[in-house]
Amino acid sequence: MGSWTSGLVVDRDAGWQQLRVAKASRRRSIAGRVVRLLVAGLRWLTVLVCGFAYHNPIPAALLALIGALLAFGLPWAALGAVLLAAAGVVAWFLLAPELFDRWVVSPGRRWWRRRRYAAAWADVMVAGRLVVTDRRRRELVPKVARIRQGRFADVLTVRLPNGITREAFAEHLDALAQAMRAREARIVPAPGRWAPGWLRNRAAAEFAPGVHKPGRVFVRLAFGDPLAHVIAGNQLADDGEDVDHSAVRVGRRDDGAEWRVSLLGTHVLLAGATGAGKGSVLWAILASMGPAIRAGTAQVVGLDPKGGMELGFGRELFRHLVTMDGPDAEDEAVAFLEGLAEEADRRAGMLAGRARTLSPSVELPFVLIIIDELASVTAFISDSKRRQRADAALGRLLTKGRAPGMCVVGALQDPRKDVVKWRDLFPTRIALRLVEAGQVDLVLGDGAHARGARCEAIATTTPGVGYVAEDGAAAITRVRAAYLTDEDIRRIAATYRPGPVDAGGGLRVVDSEPDHPPEAGDLAA
């Protein structure tokens, strides 16, 4: 009887052989997977232990000692070492908490932050949709290329894949700070690289690296706040120090360095809500300028619309102080600004053809002009004609005063556009605590809030804390001004009061003849 299977020959031995091969292959696959898991686990454990020992040498040394004692069969010695180490740690913490935090706690924080970067970075990038797909259909996210760690902050070098811009990354700084448990996240310029002078001088200037590197962004994550403590201002001025008008000490930056402000060849805009600490910045500047004021190479004039309640404490430092406390207050303020604008014109005419910038001297001193509330002369003058005169005089002063050595420090509370019409003529801008997030860009420039200047989030308990933006610098720096008590201000005013000058009744006319050296330029009391 025929069948369709009649010509089929079944080799039963070959079938069993194939089955045995499949089972052996499966066992080898499982064994290989287990080996790979064991190798990966061993590698992870090695990296964990070595990383902990590298970043925490003191705890690692103690643990190694205890483990060695247990390995040699000395449990009582190990117990004694544990008790002795615990007593030493407690005594160290109680007697020298600052050193304990620096050498024990802070290294542990840095090690733990590195673990968090490795664990949570990719999730944050994916959650923020910072993902691009390349031509091979691989999903790419910004990658941390390098970590520079400090006690209070870390700077991450982030490599951006093609298709993700620096601006797009900056929009997710808040989410990044929250995921990494940081106080704030801020984009900073590229850190400078060390190179010998002879090599830098021979490098092509056309290809010198800029403040930003293409394809990379540098993110500063702050975990501690070195500006939490009040900075005493009684040591700002030094009798034996020649004042550098281009680097006047004001306070401290959040990287631990001194905060210095340039006054020569610039103007300073200072904005902050009520109680933000504008007075701390003003008096810190005056305190640092004290030796120059006493020596006569610098003179200070001011306008205080609050009747002298702020600047009146140091009245002795001022050659002329307008307090706007009488019926003719507005006329007095307008005349004050117009006189300063005329002084700027006279100085510019005198220095024309001789010098492009002023070198302060007793014959022609540097003039510091402090206006405590800028809106009092730009928006709050009731008479429109007087307001227009004040605007015109302030514009002339800001335009012409920089080169001949006249610096305007204008403080204000409301940085709206209709209050400050001359905001672009202030190269140096300082923003303390502000009411709204939208005010940050009005003071520091477009994009400052996106780069991390969260002025609206500054605590009311930290007056004098703010952010600084300088013309030509891409960095937004977090700073805190030194605090001077009323007694400190009175002492500084009495110590550095200027010497007598020839009283000429208001602003004196300087000699503008090119054949004679300058003879005046003072602002008489």
Side-chain angles (χ1 to χ4, degrees), residues 12-13 436 448 469:
R12 298 181 180 274
D13 293 336
E436 301 175 357

Side-chain angles (χ1 to χ4, degrees), residues 12-63:
R12 298 181 180 274
D13 293 336
W16 286 108
Q17 181 68 22
Q18 291 177 0
L19 182 61
R20 287 194 296 270
V21 170
K23 289 182 178 180
S25 176
R26 189 178 301 113
R27 286 194 297 269
R28 285 196 299 270
S29 176
I30 295 174
R33 192 178 306 170
V34 171
V35 171
R36 286 194 298 270
L37 290 176
L38 290 176
V39 171
L42 183 61
R43 177 178 178 274
W44 175 84
L45 184 61
T46 302
V47 171
L48 183 67
V49 173
C50 294
F52 179 83
Y54 177 78
H55 292 282
N56 303 269
I58 296 178
L62 294 176
L63 292 176

